[in-house]
């Protein structure tokens, strides 16, 4: 592939609700630019950007793919992101390196939750954006409604650059608001001039007046000319609009049909005209040697540095670190330092990804997006630079996974294989986490949502030939006591020769400290129990609190005191006193009003104000205590509640169902509380077999 300088590069992310038409738009772009000789279809599983087997099987995107489009001597790196919320990490990775975004909205479905989330993502990363309304070839598509809804949400900055022309209820052409011309598509798909329909004239005047007002506000000179009644030239309008689009004060809307490749030619032109090249954006890191700010700013003349924003680990296409060059010019045989890993790697070859295909290039200029193969120990969000100028860039903050499932490997012989495969998938997707919960003898899989975890199961089976099954995670209950018990236990065993003898008198009561399993003390007087057996008594307690006598859960908050007992000069041993203490613990625990404690999470649920009633009603059903609400930007509310961990299973799915996919939540461990009687009884019955095992 040809080498492109920074000013001839555009990095554009495609965002939008799932099913809005992002992948189909990429197909139309690739076809019109001559990258492909025919347009693929999602239904046929032959699109450029949806190449993963899971994407083909499910007919939707699950990972961000890069498709470079060469248009008007400019390279447009299109980052096609998934629209489904379970894969928000992929969209966040793309946003971290995009210099602009196109938010795709279906003209048929209209503004959806994914549209709003895309806007919020652009706001977070301060990305210039425009809207593209797809599906305009469908009869009931309404461009006017989409514009009205967007203007209601985001105000006057929403500006149509084009207006649709329909004949006999069919989409046949468009009005260019800037140029004040009307065009239609002929049978060959070419744009030809046409007379402007009468019904378009009034709309054109309204839209153009709004644009001219925005142009006038870009400078005092333009403002004076505007109030003086002067006309601006088309070139002046376009130059001013580029400033407006770059700073976000205007967000253009265009439209078309991806399936028919209509409106896409104009969209590509507008991307080049109005979106900034990387050198018009800022980018800064920290020099690890001097701790000073390093203003990279995609300057090709500065020392080399790059940022790894995504990792691909596929057994079929290999391992690639996807990078954005933040400064300098990367060339083959360059040696790059990964300061985070304290490793240097020599670049064998430089690549540009085109969907699943890696195309070799000689060099990558600042601002460009490319790929490096098999970097030593490199991870997503690592920084690359030269040893003489070590640079660290801020790591992208990806969404935290809160959906949790327990997983089991079906074939025990595949345990190691499954562990290695999951590590690769987690390296590829940072919103996937594997946690070994040794206390509850389970391995947990965390993700953004259940659909993501289901796809992980499918990938393990398809890619790595490992079968796992997901189940409900065990909740980490605890056991404690509420009263004081005074018990005695004598362990006596005779079997020929030396016997076993240990005799203890102990009290057990609440310690008041649920952070620690137990506190041990002794108040023995007169040598009833020799000092050398005190450690054995404590060891008996120490072993016993690991699995309590109520439901075999760990014990917390116990204060044990050894105050009396007796011993035998021949038969007593450390083992005998350890067993006596353990049995005394079991007896005393059950006499001291034992209870189960359940973990409580402090949770925050965020959604539009109109959903708060449903959210609070559902939380009450889940034994949660709603503590309050906080209004936040965008007409949303934060509902703050304490909720038992046991009630969190499946909450992500329920919340999305209640809020149309809009609601999000986060939580963290707060404390342990006594479980209600019914919950406690169910747990004790369910774990009765665990107690049998312990006694044996």
């Amino acid at each position: 592939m040809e080498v492109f300088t920074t000013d001839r590069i555009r990095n554009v992310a495609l965002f939008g609700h799932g099913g809005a038409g992002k992948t189909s738009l990429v197909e139309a772009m690739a076809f019109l630019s001559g990258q492909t000789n025919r347009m693929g279809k999602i239904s046929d599983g032959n699109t450029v950007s949806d190449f993963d087997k899971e994407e083909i099987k499910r007919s939707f995107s699950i990972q961000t793919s890069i498709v470079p489009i060469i248009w008007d001597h400019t390279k447009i790196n299109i980052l096609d992101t998934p629209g489904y919320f379970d894969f928000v990490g992929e969209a966040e990775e793309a946003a971290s390196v995009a210099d602009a975004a196109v938010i795709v909205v279906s003209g048929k479905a209209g503004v959806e939750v994914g549209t709003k989330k895309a806007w919020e993502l652009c706001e977070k990363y301060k990305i210039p954006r425009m809207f593209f309304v797809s599906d305009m070839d469908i009869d009931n598509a309404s461009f006017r409604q989409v514009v009205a809804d967007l203007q209601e949400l985001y105000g006057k900055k929403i500006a149509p650059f084009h207006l649709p022309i329909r004949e006999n209820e069919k989409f046949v052409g468009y009005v260019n608001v800037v140029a004040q011309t009307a065009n239609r598509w002929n049978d060959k798909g070419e744009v030809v001039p046409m007379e402007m329909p009468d019904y378009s004239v009034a709309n054109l005047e309204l839209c153009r007046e709004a644009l001219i007002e925005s142009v006038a506000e870009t400078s005092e000179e333009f403002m004076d000319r505007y109030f003086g009644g002067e006309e601006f030239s088309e070139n002046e309008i376009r130059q001013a609009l580029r400033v407006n689009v770059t700073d976000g004060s205007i967000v253009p809307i265009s439209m078309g049909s991806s399936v028919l490749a209509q409106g896409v030619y104009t969209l590509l032109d507008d991307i080049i005209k109005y979106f900034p090249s990387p050198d018009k954006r800022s980018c800064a890191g920290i020099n690890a040697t001097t701790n000073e700010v390093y203003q990279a700013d995609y300057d090709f003349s500065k020392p080399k540095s790059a940022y790894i924003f995504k990792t691909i680990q596929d057994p079929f296409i290999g391992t690639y670190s996807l990078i954005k060059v933040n400064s300098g010019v990367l060339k083959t045989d360059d040696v790059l330092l990964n300061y985070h890993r304290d490793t240097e790697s020599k670049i064998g070859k430089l690549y540009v990804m085109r969907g699943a295909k890696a195309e070799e290039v000689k060099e990558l200029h600042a601002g460009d997006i490319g790929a490096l193969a098999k970097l030593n120990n490199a991870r997503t969000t690592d920084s690359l630079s030269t040893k003489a100028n070590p640079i660290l860039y801020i790591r992208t903050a990806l969404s935290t996974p809160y959906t949790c499932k327990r997983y089991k490997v079906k074939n025990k012989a595949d345990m190691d294989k499954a562990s290695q495969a999951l590590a690769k998938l987690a390296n590829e997707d940072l919103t996937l986490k594997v946690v070994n919960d040794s206390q509850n003898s389970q391995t947990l899989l965390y993700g953004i949502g259940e659909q993501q975890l289901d796809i992980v199961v499918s990938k393990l089976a398809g890619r790595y030939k490992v079968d796992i099954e997901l189940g409900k995670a065990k909740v980490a209950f605890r056991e404690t006591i509420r009263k004081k018990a005074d018990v005695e236990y004598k362990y006596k065993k005779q079997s020929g020769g030396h016997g076993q003898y240990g005799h203890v008198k102990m009290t057990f009561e609440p310690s008041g400290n649920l952070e620690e399993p137990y506190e041990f003390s002794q108040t023995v007087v007169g040598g009833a129990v020799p000092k050398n057996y005190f450690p054995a008594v404590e060891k008996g307690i120490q072993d016993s609190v690991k699995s309590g006598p109520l439901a075999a859960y760990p014990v917390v908050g116990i204060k044990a005191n050894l105050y009396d007992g007796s011993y035998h000069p021949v038969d007593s041993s450390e083992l005998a006193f350890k067993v006596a203490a353990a049995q005394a613990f079991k007896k005393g625990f059950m006499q001291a009003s034992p209870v189960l404690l359940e973990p409580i999470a402090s949770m925050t649920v965020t959604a539009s104000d109109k959903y708060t009633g449903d959210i609070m009603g559902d939380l009450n059903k889940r034994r949660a205590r709603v503590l309050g609400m906080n209004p936040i930007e965008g007409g949303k509310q934060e509902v703050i509640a304490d909720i038992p961990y046991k009630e969190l299973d499946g909450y992500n799915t329920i919340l999305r169902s209640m809020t149309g996919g809009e609601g999000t939540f986060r939580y963290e461990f707060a404390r342990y509380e006594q479980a209600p009687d019914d919950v406690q009884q169910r747990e004790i019955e369910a774990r009765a077999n665990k107690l049998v095992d312990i006694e044996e």
Side-chain angles (χ1 to χ4, degrees):
M1 179 182 275
E2 181 188 349
V3 172
F4 289 84
T5 53
T6 309
D7 59 320
R8 293 168 56 210
I9 295 169
R10 303 289 185 275
N11 297 311
V12 181
L14 296 189
F15 297 131
H17 197 84
K22 299 181 291 298
T23 299
S24 297
L25 178 57
V26 175
E27 283 301 307
M29 289 176 167
F31 175 69
L32 284 178
S33 62
Q35 313 293 305
T36 58
N37 53 22
R38 67 184 180 88
M39 286 174 56
K41 293 181 180 179
I42 293 171
S43 56
D44 294 341
N46 60 355
T47 61
V48 177
S49 53
D50 280 3
F51 56 85
D52 186 271
K53 283 186 176 181
E54 291 299 320
E55 293 176 316
I56 295 168
K57 181 171 77 174
R58 297 167 191 268
S59 296
F60 60 76
S61 301
I62 61 176
Q63 61 186 14
T64 294
S65 57
I66 303 169
V67 181
I69 303 294
I70 313 304
W71 191 259
D72 191 21
H73 308 294
T74 301
K75 179 187 179 188
I76 306 172
N77 288 314
I78 297 291
L79 296 108
D80 181 17
T81 70
Y84 288 98
F85 308 134
D86 281 22
F87 313 107
V88 63
E90 297 284 334
E92 289 167 336
E93 287 174 347
S96 71
V97 294
D99 299 312
V102 174
I103 302 175
V104 182
V105 183
S106 167
K108 179 183 178 182
V111 174
E112 299 174 89
V113 173
T115 313
K116 299 173 188 176
K117 286 183 180 285
W119 180 277
E120 291 167 3
L121 197 56
C122 291
E123 288 285 289
K124 178 181 177 181
Y125 286 93
K126 298 179 173 58
I127 303 173
R129 72 217 71 154
M130 66 171 68
F131 286 96
F132 180 79
V133 182
S134 63
D135 297 332
M136 289 301 295
D137 55 304
I138 297 174
D139 289 345
N140 58 353
S142 176
F143 182 76
R144 180 180 296 180
Q145 188 61 53
V146 171
V147 172
D149 290 345
L150 289 173
Q151 287 178 334
E152 184 180 344
L153 282 168
Y154 308 119
K156 290 183 178 180
K157 64 170 66 176
I158 303 298
F161 275 22
H162 305 102
L163 301 171
I165 296 174
R166 290 185 179 274
E167 290 179 359
N168 300 321
E169 298 186 354
K170 289 192 174 181
F171 179 55
V172 297
Y174 65 95
V175 174
N176 187 316
V177 175
V178 177
Q180 301 184 85
T181 57
N183 304 282
R184 70 184 304 145
W185 291 283
N186 61 20
D187 295 337
K188 297 178 182 178
E190 300 167 334
V191 175
V192 294
M194 66 175 287
E195 281 194 31
M196 192 174 300
D198 293 338
Y199 68 81
S200 295
V201 175
N203 286 336
L204 171 62
E205 288 178 1
L206 285 171
C207 294
R208 186 172 172 79
E209 182 60 29
L211 281 181
I212 297 302
E213 281 184 28
S214 296
V215 169
E217 290 175 1
T218 57
S219 72
E220 289 185 15
E221 179 196 342
F222 277 12
M223 188 67 79
D224 291 340
R225 288 173 58 188
Y226 174 72
F227 285 119
E230 284 187 47
E231 286 287 322
F232 298 122
S233 69
E234 184 179 329
N235 188 51
E236 285 177 325
I237 293 171
R238 291 193 184 280
Q239 289 296 326
L241 286 177
R242 187 173 191 203
V243 173
N244 290 132
V245 173
T246 299
D247 68 16
S249 57
I250 276 189
V251 178
I253 307 182
S254 61
M255 43 66 201
S257 164
S258 302
V259 175
L260 301 177
Q262 294 174 339
V264 180
Y265 187 107
T266 315
L267 174 64
L268 288 166
D269 277 351
D270 285 349
I271 284 173
I272 293 171
K273 287 175 187 172
Y274 299 116
F275 279 164
S277 53
D279 56 337
K280 300 297 189 291
R281 302 271 291 167
S282 63
C283 172
I286 297 292
N287 186 305
T289 303
T290 64
N291 283 331
E292 294 177 350
V293 174
Y294 175 72
Q295 210 65 44
D297 293 339
Y298 307 110
D299 187 337
F300 75 94
S301 65
K302 291 186 176 180
K304 307 171 197 287
S305 69
Y307 176 73
I308 302 174
F309 70 93
K310 181 174 173 54
T311 302
I312 297 175
Q313 286 196 318
D314 191 290
F316 305 107
I317 68 172
T319 300
Y320 292 97
S321 299
L322 303 191
I323 61 166
K324 185 178 186 182
V325 183
N326 289 349
S327 60
V329 179
L330 291 193
K331 299 181 181 180
T332 53
D333 295 333
D334 276 344
V335 177
L336 293 180
L337 168 72
N338 184 333
Y339 189 85
H340 302 285
R341 312 291 165 191
D342 194 25
T343 58
E344 278 190 296
S345 300
K346 185 177 181 180
I347 299 173
K349 293 178 181 178
L350 288 168
Y351 299 95
V352 167
M353 301 301 293
R354 187 185 302 281
K357 296 178 181 176
E359 299 180 10
E360 194 175 337
V361 289
K362 290 182 179 178
E363 55 189 45
L364 288 170
H365 281 239
D368 208 349
I369 288 174
L372 304 176
K374 299 176 182 177
L375 279 182
N376 293 333
N377 301 320
R379 298 289 184 271
T380 302
T381 73
D382 282 356
S383 303
L384 303 174
S385 54
T386 61
K387 196 169 186 178
N389 196 57
I391 304 300
L392 303 177
Y393 292 101
I394 296 174
R395 294 182 184 273
T396 305
L398 300 179
S399 293
T400 304
Y402 289 107
T403 299
C404 174
K405 290 288 182 184
R406 177 189 187 188
Y407 87 82
K408 288 183 177 179
V409 182
K410 291 183 180 180
N411 183 354
K412 288 187 177 180
D414 289 338
M415 291 281 284
D416 289 343
K417 194 175 175 184
S419 179
Q420 291 169 10
L422 278 170
K424 289 180 180 178
L425 292 178
N427 189 35
E428 194 175 30
D429 180 359
L430 297 189
T431 63
L432 184 70
K433 294 196 184 307
V434 182
V435 176
N436 182 23
D437 180 10
S438 57
Q439 282 193 333
N440 294 289
S441 303
Q442 60 181 348
T443 313
L444 302 175
L445 204 53
Y446 282 87
I448 299 297
E450 292 186 8
Q451 188 178 54
Q452 178 191 15
L453 298 183
D454 288 341
I455 287 175
V456 167
V457 174
S458 192
K459 279 185 176 180
L460 286 172
R463 285 190 192 179
Y464 302 102
K465 311 305 177 191
V466 176
D467 291 322
I468 68 168
E469 56 185 6
L470 301 180
K472 192 173 180 179
K474 289 188 285 188
V475 176
F477 281 82
R478 296 288 183 264
E479 300 181 22
T480 194
I481 54 176
R482 292 182 297 177
K483 295 180 180 177
K484 184 175 182 179
D486 189 333
V487 295
E488 175 182 6
Y489 193 88
K490 185 181 291 183
Y491 179 64
K492 190 174 181 182
K493 196 173 183 183
Q494 198 69 38
S495 57
H498 285 304
Q500 295 287 348
Y501 183 91
H503 176 210
V504 295
K505 292 182 180 180
M506 303 185 71
T507 59
F508 297 94
E509 60 187 310
S511 69
N513 180 12
L514 298 181
E515 299 294 320
E516 296 294 334
Y518 71 94
E519 294 175 10
F520 176 72
S521 61
Q522 58 78 25
T523 54
V524 178
V525 293
V529 177
K531 290 181 180 180
N532 58 304
Y533 292 131
F534 292 169
V537 173
E538 183 174 2
K539 187 68 169 65
I541 305 300
Q542 189 181 72
D543 290 348
S544 297
V545 296
K546 293 176 183 176
S547 180
L550 188 61
Y553 282 113
V555 173
V556 293
I558 299 292
K559 184 177 181 181
N561 179 57
L562 171 67
Y563 69 89
D564 201 358
S566 63
Y567 74 103
H568 189 280
V570 176
D571 291 346
S572 286
S573 67
E574 290 184 358
L575 175 62
F577 274 98
K578 177 183 170 185
V579 172
Q583 293 296 338
F585 171 84
K586 181 178 178 182
K587 183 178 176 183
F589 188 92
M590 296 307 289
Q591 289 179 11
S593 188
V595 291
L596 279 187
L597 302 174
E598 64 176 338
I600 304 296
S602 177
M603 183 164 76
T604 302
V605 185
T606 305
S608 291
D609 190 50
K610 61 184 176 181
Y611 297 121
T612 52
D614 291 338
I615 289 169
M616 288 193 290
D618 178 71
L619 287 174
N620 287 330
K621 291 178 187 175
R622 294 171 178 269
R623 303 192 286 122
R625 288 194 298 273
V626 176
L627 304 177
M629 293 194 302
N630 296 325
I632 57 175
E633 289 182 8
K636 292 184 177 182
Q637 289 277 358
E638 283 186 343
V639 179
I640 300 166
D642 282 349
I643 184 170
Y645 267 73
K646 195 171 180 66
E647 304 296 335
L648 286 171
D649 185 63
Y651 185 70
N652 182 63
T653 304
I654 297 297
L655 179 62
R656 286 186 186 172
S657 176
M658 280 191 296
T659 61
E662 181 192 294
T664 60
F665 72 103
R666 63 183 188 273
Y667 64 85
E668 60 183 13
F669 173 77
R671 64 190 172 280
Y672 274 94
E673 284 184 3
Q674 184 176 331
D677 290 343
D678 58 331
V679 174
Q680 178 168 301
Q681 194 56 42
R682 283 197 298 269
E683 282 299 311
I684 292 172
E685 290 172 2
R687 291 180 59 91
N689 65 318
K690 302 285 184 183
L691 291 172
V692 172
D693 292 341
I694 290 166
E695 289 174 356
E696 290 174 352

